[in-house]
């Protein structure tokens, strides 16, 4: 027992004597120091273990993370420092104790107890804090006071005995006194603020708002410091992900401080504050606004970054110390047990522990810095998105239509520019941290190796510009690749949209080649991209090798001696540290440049034209975003928003017509001498004087392109007014009171000509944010005859429609838009050509039920633009337009009396008597429309297809019961090896072999280089005569380094080109598969889904998989080689490796699953956000007419927040992983160091220890990359899987088709059509749509086919072309076809480029387009924008006709070719068809029966059978016949 006495048992001195006074015995003072620690442990342990079930219910709160007490973070920081100092104290005590002749426990025992007490204090504090029971803090307060007093006594005694700063123990004690004092102060502060003792009334506290909200799950801002640093609070989420996938519900809402609205207001304030009165035109600087709004967190992050970088240098220095001092035995002192400060730093074990602590701290600070920047970046993105959105809502329409601001640009702003700014913020602290890091590194290198280090460093610095050059080149190539792929996508989209047409004309291969052509160009730039990427990877890997080579060779030449192993390996570690900032610097600089461009674009966008302040229509604008905040100019703002109530009595009557008594009544909208333009100074509408009578039906008529739609927009304030005024009447006072509470007082129900749907359910599209009223909803649905369509949808009116939902046909979309305008409770309804895509029955029904009944009963003012002149008799007021000005206005009677000519013109057009429309009794029973049929077909098969998809997804799950969690778990943590193999094999086996081989070789050479360095520095000691040994060390070193550099180049090239060949093959196969798929496939698969394969997935395969693959293989091999080296140096390390490997396995397993879920969430929440932006930009006029801006803003904020939540959780999960892998890395370093210190006695050369430690340090950097890359690759492989799933579709049936070259020039010569017993169905699963049809058509006959919508007319025409499943009978023929306005913009009239210009002009003349095309810039070569947006719907249809005329085939089939053309144009067309095609067979599928009255033969179809077939005259004689009833209805 003698060996363990507390004060030691020195025989000569009585250790326990207190002759000189109690406090002068050092041992007694140390014992006194034990008292506070023991006191704390005795008091707190019972409390900690008994627990406090009773206390926690005091505050109802669902997170136990609420930090109540002030000074919270300071306390944690002080406690951690305290623990560190205690560790130093223990170390110092043990080292001093070793030098005494007997054991003196008092040297380290109190310190050890202090360590335990400090740990306990923080646990105790945390428990008190989360259960909010401050009275128990008294125990801590007493502890701090006692500890402070006892330590002060010790310090005072030291000073008295002349122990000073040179002695380590004095410094430690002084530090402890300061820390205890500070902790005591923190405790006093808590008492002062919370008043829990010594005060009568304790302070009541409420938890922060976020924590009261159970929806907030992102706890990073609220948890304690330790949990903040290690992301401990993420554990339940990440581990839970293994059992069931993370859903949106699980990640909840964002804390208020991170919401887009909060940040938007911050940024907006900073932006608006810069506007000054003197120079209102000057645009505020976005940079300055960003700095003002988000500067502070960036500074905080930079501070963390500096701390981390400085701690990073501890690694090399500790290696230097350990290797240097391994073989030196200390000289023992006897009496004195006060060691000097630098002696401790020469103890290798202490250095190993310090190295470990430094690594842990460095990594913690680094992750903290990353986290803060990412959070700030996300906040910034949210704010920018809100700013952009607000601007979009105010954009002037002319900007959009004149093409100054395209949808593409807006989408780019949202998807690209904001993200680039966000990324710039992420990398921003690097900009100022890196130079400091580089300078420090170079200084340390110089200190280790002298001038040769500078030479080596200069290699790195000189090659940095080359890296920058490569980086900029990369960015340029990426841009050109992007342009090419956009071009390719545009072509692909057009092919897919017009796929029916291509198959009809058998143009698949022409267009396919055109896409392959663009893809070829894209691949060329991808090849360049791959080259530059591999160069950049190569530079990264080769620069450190080159630097090391130059350094050591020059050192050997200059100093004529070798470096010592401690210097060599410290230098090696430093080079590893230096490479990262230099490599990143080029990236950061590139991002900074990109960010500048983005800011410039954003600035231009925010300064672009806004719509005029339409105060005349400014009813009660519902709360806008800014109104959420009180701003000083409130009174001004409110006044501006008051409606300017114009008195309507004072206006002059237009002089053109005599005043009639009934017209003095109220006018809803009036335009006075208005000149309006779309942005150029040429007025589109000139000299407009009109009034729209309140509560009446006004119709606007005129030819295609005469400005009818523009007139509506002008009244809505969407056009730029050159001169004149638009007045909106004020509501009668009674109604004002009645409607004061309804928010759409001044909103206008508006249905555009080009229907605009939201990506939402049918019901949402119709109610459009208004409260749901069942009765009203039903009436509207019936009026628009939508019920049958809704019944067909898989989920009724809860089915998603819109871009990403179900593809509805034009008529269905249009009716939904009209229904929206009817449903809204607005006083005024504008309908822009609502009948264009509807057949006669639907039109009549809509006119009668919807417009005449529903709207007029409500006394709503209706303005209707239409081509259907037969409805003019219902109009209370008519405005006739011509070439941008008003030709006539008045009632039908007025026009009849005053403008006989016009009236007669109309009459001939209508060729019908002025009689009420006979209501057709059969309308309702026959409403199984073709559209509905396609819908139904699409659904059945789509459901079948979805099931197939789901089966594929879940095939592995289905095998066992669903509730058997283990199967899902294993499936979710499996790596998709099969898909990886498919990917690699599509790259080619030679490339795969090359890649694997060169990678393995390269890493072996890298290890060989370092091993040789170790040998050289160790053996060089045996120098006999100067240079004998160096003679062969240096050349071998040079050869190895050269080989290493060469291999770096080879590996980087093989990976990139493997990826490239895989991408080429995958896209080629995909395109051919899709283009040759049967038409059925396109009915079933949503367009968006197919396009996604060509856009997002192809992009991932092209550009993202290769670098990920490269990075994954590199980091895995680096980690493996490092572990190999350490195990080779110190085999005992392998024992420690087992638990490390197990923990690493679990970390990566949990992380990969969670990360994949979060990444999916991020992707799936990003799509709706981008869609919402593009949707808003498309439907601007509608949203503004309805006055729904604030609702859309609200939705945008919600979508942004959802996406940001997902992104935040994703980045927090990445931090979670990195903190854990970094700590594992630190443990590896510690074990490696300890193992090598232990085995150093067993003659292990110090150079080998250096080698092992240097490698151990690199592991920390690469462990997390292995996992991150693995997770990324897993997500990216999903793209390959999706593409592969499309590669399994079967191709169309091409039996019996000939090569085009074999088809005779003039085929078919005669144009006779024989149809025998034809049966057609759309899918083997569905019923036939045509049943046993027999027809014989003579050459040159003009045939009309009519029938109710959905009777099989179009199916018949498709059967002509073998486009549907003809399963009985036959129908031989090849022809031209024309239906529906699909314009393919590449080469519209003549894709085969075989016709002369004259022929094209002739075709255009026939289609009444010649004059219009002549007026275009470029004539025949004029550009048609995407989807033909720069032509009106009617003009687009005429183009399609012209396209059919260009092909001089002997049979022409016209399907609904004239649905949205006004009657005048249509009559001309009919004549033209009769003349231009006099000698050819023409089959017309008619919507309006009168168009086929002149035909030679009429076929009437019903439900897939031919009902009547004969000459029209014969059919008309049969009064009860179907045809006769059609003609009566259409007259």
């Amino acid at each position: 027992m003698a060996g363990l006495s507390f004060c030691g048992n020195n025989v000569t001195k009585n250790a326990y004597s207190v002759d000189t006074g109690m406090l002068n015995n050092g041992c007694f003072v140390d014992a006194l120091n034990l008292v506070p620690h023991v006191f704390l442990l005795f008091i707190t342990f019972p409390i900690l273990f008994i627990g406090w079930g009773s206390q926690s219910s005091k505050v109802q709160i669902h997170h136990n993370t609420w930090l109540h007490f002030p000074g919270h973070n300071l306390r944690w920081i002080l406690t951690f420092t305290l623990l560190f100092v205690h560790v130093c104290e223990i170390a110092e005590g043990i080292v001093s104790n070793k030098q005494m002749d007997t054991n003196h426990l008092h040297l380290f025992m109190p310190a050890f107890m202090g360590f335990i007490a400090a740990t306990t204090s923080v646990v105790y504090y945390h428990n008190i804090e989360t259960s909010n029971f401050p009275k128990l803090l008294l125990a801590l307060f007493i502890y701090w006071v006692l500890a402070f007093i006892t330590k002060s006594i010790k310090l005072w005694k030291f000073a008295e005995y002349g122990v000073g700063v040179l002695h380590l123990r004095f410094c430690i004690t002084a530090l402890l006194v300061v820390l205890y004092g500070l902790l005591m102060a923190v405790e006093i502060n808590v008492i002062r603020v919370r008043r829990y003792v010594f005060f009568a009334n304790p302070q009541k506290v409420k938890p922060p708002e976020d924590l009261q909200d159970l929806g907030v799950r992102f706890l990073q801002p609220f948890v304690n410091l330790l949990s903040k640093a290690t992301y401990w609070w993420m554990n339940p989420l990440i581990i839970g992900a293994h059992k069931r996938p993370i859903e949106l519900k699980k990640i909840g809402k964002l804390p208020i401080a991170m919401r887009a609205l909060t940040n938007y207001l911050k940024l907006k304030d900073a932006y608006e504050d810069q506007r000054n009165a003197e120079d209102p035109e000057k645009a505020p600087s976005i940079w300055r606004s960003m700095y003002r709004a988000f500067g502070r967190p960036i500074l905080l992050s930079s501070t963390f970054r500096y701390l981390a970088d400085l701690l990073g240098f501890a690694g090399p220095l500790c290696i230097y110390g350990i290797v240097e001092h391994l073989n030196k035995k200390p000289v023992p002192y006897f009496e004195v047990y006060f060691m000097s400060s630098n002696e401790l730093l020469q103890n290798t074990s202490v250095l190993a522990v310090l190295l470990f602590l430094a690594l842990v701290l460095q990594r913690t600070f680094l992750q903290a810095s990353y986290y803060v920047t990412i959070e700030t970046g996300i906040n910034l993105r949210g704010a920018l998105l809100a700013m952009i959105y607000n601007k979009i809502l105010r954009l002037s329409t002319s900007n959009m239509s004149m093409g100054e601001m395209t949808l593409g640009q807006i989408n780019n702003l949202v998807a690209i520019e904001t993200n680039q700014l966000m990324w710039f913020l992420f990398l921003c602290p690097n900009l100022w941290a890196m130079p400091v890091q580089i300078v420090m590194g170079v200084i340390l290198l110089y200190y280790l190796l002298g001038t040769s280090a500078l030479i080596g460093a200069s290699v790195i610095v000189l090659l940095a510009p080359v890296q920058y050059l490569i980086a900029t080149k990369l960015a340029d190539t990426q841009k050109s690749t992007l342009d090419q792929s956009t071009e390719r996508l545009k072509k692909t989209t057009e092919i897919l949209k017009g796929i029916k047409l291509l198959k009809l004309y058998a143009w698949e291969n022409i267009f396919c080649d055109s896409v392959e052509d663009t893809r070829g160009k894209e691949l060329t730039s991808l090849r360049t991209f791959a080259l530059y990427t591999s160069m950049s990877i190569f530079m990264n890997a080769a620069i450190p090798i080159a630097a090391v080579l130059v350094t050591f060779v020059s050192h050997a030449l200059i100093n004529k001696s070798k470096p010592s192993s401690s210097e060599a390996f410290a230098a090696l570690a430093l080079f590893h540290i230096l490479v990262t900032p230099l490599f990143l610097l080029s990236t950061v600089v590139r991002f900074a440049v990109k960010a500048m461009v983005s800011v410039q674009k954003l600035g231009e966008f925010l300064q672009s034209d806004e719509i005029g302040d339409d105060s005349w229509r400014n009813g009660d604008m519902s709360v806008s975003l800014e109104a959420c905040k009180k701003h000083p100019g409130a009174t001004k703002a409110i006044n501006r928003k008051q409606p300017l109530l114009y008195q309507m009595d004072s206006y002059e009557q237009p002089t053109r017509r005599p005043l009639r008594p009934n017209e003095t009544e109220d006018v809803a909208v009036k335009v006075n001498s208005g000149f309006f333009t779309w942005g150029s100074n040429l007025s589109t509408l000139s000299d407009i004087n009109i009034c729209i009578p309140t509560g009446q039906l006004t119709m606007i008529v005129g030819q295609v392109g005469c400005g009818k739609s523009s007139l509506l927009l002008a009244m809505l304030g969407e056009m730029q007014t050159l001169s004149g005024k638009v007045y909106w009447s004020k509501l009668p006072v009674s109604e004002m009171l009645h409607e004061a509470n309804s928010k759409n007082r001044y909103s206008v129900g508006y249905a555009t000509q080009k229907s605009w749907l939201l990506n939402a359910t049918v019901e949402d599209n119709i109610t459009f944010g208004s409260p749901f009223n069942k009765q009203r909803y039903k009436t509207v649905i019936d009026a628009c005859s939508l019920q049958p369509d809704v019944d067909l949808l898989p989920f009724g009116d809860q089915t998603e429609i819109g871009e990403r939902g179900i593809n509805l046909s034009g008529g269905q979309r249009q009716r939904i838009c009209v229904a929206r305008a009817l449903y809204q409770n607005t006083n005024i309804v504008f309908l822009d050509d609502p009948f264009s895509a509807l057949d006669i029955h639907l039109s009549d029904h809509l006119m009668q039920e919807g417009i005449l009944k529903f709207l007029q009963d409500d006394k709503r003012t209706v303005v209707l633009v239409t081509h259907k002149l037969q409805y003019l008799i219902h109009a209370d007021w008519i405005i006739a337009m011509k070439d941008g000005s008003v030709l006539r206005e008045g009632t039908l009677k007025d026009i009849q009396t005053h403008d006989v000519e016009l009236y007669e013109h109309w009459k001939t057009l209508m060729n019908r008597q002025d009689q009420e429309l006979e209501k057709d009794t059969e309308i309702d029973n026959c409403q199984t429309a073709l559209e509905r049929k396609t819908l139904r077909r699409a659904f059945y098969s789509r459901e079948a297809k979805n099931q197939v998809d789901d089966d594929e997804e879940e095939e592995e799950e289905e095998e066992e019961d669903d509730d058997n969690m283990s199967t899902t778990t294993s499936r979710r943590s499996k790596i998709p090896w099969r898909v990886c193999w498919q990917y690699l094999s599509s790259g080619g086996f030679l490339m795969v072999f090359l890649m694997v081989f060169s990678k393995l070789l390269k890493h072996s050479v890298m290890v060989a280089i370092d091993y040789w360095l170790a040998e050289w520095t160790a053996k060089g000691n045996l120098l006999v005569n100067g240079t004998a040994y160096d003679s062969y060390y240096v050349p071998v070193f040079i050869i190895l380094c050269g080989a290493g550099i060469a291999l770096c180049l080879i590996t980087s090239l093989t990976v990139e080109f493997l990826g490239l060949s895989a991408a080429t093959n995958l896209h080629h196969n995909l395109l051919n598969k899709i283009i040759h798929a049967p038409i059925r496939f396109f009915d079933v698969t949503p367009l968006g889904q197919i396009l996604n394969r060509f856009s997002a997935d192809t992009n991932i395969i092209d550009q993202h998989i290769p670098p990920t693959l490269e990075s994954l293989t590199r980091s895995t091999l680096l980690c493996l080689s490092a572990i190999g080296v350490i195990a080779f140096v110190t085999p005992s390390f392998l024992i420690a490796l087992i638990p490390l490997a197990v923990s690493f396995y679990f970390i990566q397993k949990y992380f990969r699953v969670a990360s994949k879920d979060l990444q999916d969430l991020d992707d799936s929440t990003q799509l709706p956000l981008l869609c919402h932006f593009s949707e808003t930009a498309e439907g601007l006029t509608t949203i503004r007419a309805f006055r729904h801006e604030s609702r859309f803003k609200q939705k945008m904020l919600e979508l942004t927040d959802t996406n940001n939540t997902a992104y935040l959780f994703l980045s927090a999960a990445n931090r979670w992983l990195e903190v854990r892998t970094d700590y594992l890395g630190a443990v590896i370093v510690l074990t490696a160091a300890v193992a090598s210190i232990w085995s150093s006695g067993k003659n292990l050369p110090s150079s080998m220890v250096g080698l092992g430690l240097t490698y151990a340090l690199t592991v920390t950097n690469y462990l997390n990359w292995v996992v991150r890359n693995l997770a990324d690759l897993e997500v990216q492989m999903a793209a390959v899987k999706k593409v592969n799933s499309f590669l399994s579709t079967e191709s169309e049936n091409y039996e019996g088709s000939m090569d085009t070259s074999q088809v005779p020039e003039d085929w078919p010569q005669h144009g006779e059509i024989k149809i025998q017993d034809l049966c057609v169905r759309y899918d083997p699963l569905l019923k036939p749509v045509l049943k046993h049809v027999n027809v014989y058509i003579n050459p040159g006959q003009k045939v009309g086919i009519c029938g109710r919508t959905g009777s099989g007319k179009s199916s018949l025409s498709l059967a002509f072309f073998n486009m549907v499943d003809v399963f009985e009978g036959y129908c031989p023929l090849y022809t031209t076809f024309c239906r529906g306005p699909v314009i393919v913009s590449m080469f519209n009239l003549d894709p085969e480029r075989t016709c002369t210009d004259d022929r094209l002009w002739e075709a255009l003349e026939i289609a009444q387009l010649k004059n219009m095309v002549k007026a275009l810039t470029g004539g025949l070569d004029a550009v048609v924008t995407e989807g033909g947006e720069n032509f009106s719907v009617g003009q687009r249809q005429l183009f399609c006709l012209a396209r059919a005329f260009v092909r001089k085939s002997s049979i022409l089939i016209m399907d609904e070719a004239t649905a949205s053309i006004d009657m005048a144009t249509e009559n001309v067309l009919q004549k033209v068809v009769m003349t231009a095609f006099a000698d050819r067979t023409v089959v017309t599928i008619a919507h309006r029966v009168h168009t086929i009255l002149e035909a030679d033969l009429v076929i009437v179809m019903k439900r897939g059978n031919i009902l009547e077939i004969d000459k029209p005259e014969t059919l008309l004689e049969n009064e009860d016949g179907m045809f006769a009833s059609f003609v009566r209805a259409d007259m």
Side-chain angles (χ1 to χ4, degrees), residues 1100-1354:
I1100 287 179
I1101 294 172
D1102 286 350
Q1103 295 186 12
H1104 296 104
I1105 295 184
T1108 313
L1109 198 60
E1110 203 284 331
S1111 182
L1112 177 66
T1113 46
R1114 187 181 60 206
S1115 34
T1116 314
L1117 286 170
L1118 267 167
C1119 288
L1120 290 176
S1121 54
I1123 287 170
V1125 168
I1126 301 171
F1128 168 72
V1129 173
T1130 49
S1132 54
F1133 168 75
L1134 285 173
I1135 303 163
L1137 193 61
I1138 296 166
L1140 289 176
V1142 170
S1143 47
F1144 177 73
Y1145 170 74
F1146 278 108
I1147 289 173
Q1148 64 88 28
K1149 179 172 152 185
Y1150 284 130
F1151 170 78
R1152 278 199 357 257
V1153 175
S1155 157
K1156 194 164 163 229
D1157 283 350
L1158 288 169
Q1159 218 151 354
D1160 288 351
L1161 276 184
D1162 178 42
D1163 292 346
S1164 64
T1165 52
Q1166 208 165 5
L1167 196 61
L1169 179 63
L1170 297 179
C1171 277
H1172 185 65
F1173 270 86
S1174 57
E1175 197 172 75
T1176 307
E1178 274 173 40
L1180 262 185
T1181 45
T1182 312
I1183 296 172
R1184 289 203 284 235
F1186 278 120
R1187 295 270 156 204
H1188 275 224
E1189 291 98 337
S1190 58
R1191 182 168 73 88
F1192 275 76
K1193 281 179 197 173
Q1194 196 44 50
K1195 174 145 186 239
M1196 188 275 317
L1197 290 173
E1198 282 163 20
L1199 289 171
T1200 309
D1201 282 344
T1202 316
N1203 182 227
N1204 284 350
T1205 316
Y1207 197 77
L1208 259 176
F1209 266 101
L1210 183 61
S1211 64
N1214 286 338
R1215 300 287 80 78
W1216 179 91
L1217 166 80
E1218 288 180 14
V1219 166
R1220 274 153 192 67
T1221 49
D1222 288 344
Y1223 289 176
L1224 267 183
V1227 175
I1228 290 180
V1229 173
L1230 180 65
T1231 44
V1234 171
S1236 50
I1237 289 164
W1238 279 351
S1239 26
S1240 66
K1242 313 184 182 85
N1243 63 31
L1244 174 72
S1246 59
S1247 60
M1248 284 300 156
V1249 176
L1251 182 68
L1253 286 182
T1254 313
Y1255 267 91
L1257 267 185
T1258 54
V1259 172
T1260 49
N1261 292 325
Y1262 290 109
L1263 268 182
N1264 65 48
W1265 279 113
V1266 174
V1267 187
R1268 289 277 294 276
N1269 288 324
L1270 204 56
D1272 286 349
L1273 193 66
E1274 208 174 336
V1275 172
Q1276 289 165 1
M1277 278 299 162
V1280 180
K1281 191 174 173 187
K1282 286 177 193 163
V1283 168
N1284 274 334
S1285 73
F1286 268 22
L1287 289 182
S1288 54
T1289 46
E1290 75 264 21
S1291 286
E1292 199 173 11
N1293 176 3
Y1294 277 101
E1295 289 163 35
S1297 57
M1298 303 197 266
D1299 197 5
T1300 27
S1301 53
Q1302 297 167 296
V1303 179
E1305 272 293 299
D1306 49 353
W1307 181 91
Q1309 289 104 330
H1310 307 305
E1312 61 172 3
I1313 301 177
K1314 242 202 228 102
I1315 297 179
Q1316 288 173 352
D1317 207 25
L1318 177 74
C1319 298
V1320 166
R1321 61 189 167 190
Y1322 276 89
D1323 200 63
L1325 309 171
L1326 300 174
K1327 291 201 194 89
V1329 281
L1330 293 179
K1331 304 162 199 140
H1332 306 294
V1333 176
N1334 291 297
V1335 179
Y1336 176 69
I1337 297 174
N1338 290 319
Q1341 260 189 333
K1342 308 285 175 278
V1343 183
I1345 302 182
C1346 62
R1348 297 217 179 285
T1349 320
S1351 53
K1353 308 186 295 278
S1354 291

Side-chain angles (χ1 to χ4, degrees), residues 141-161:
F141 178 59
I142 298 167
Y143 169 60
W144 300 133
V145 174
L146 290 175
F148 179 69
I149 294 169
T150 52
K151 274 284 179 271
S152 305
I153 293 174
K154 186 172 175 181
L155 190 66
W156 161 57
K157 281 297 159 199
F158 279 167
E160 210 174 279
Y161 276 77

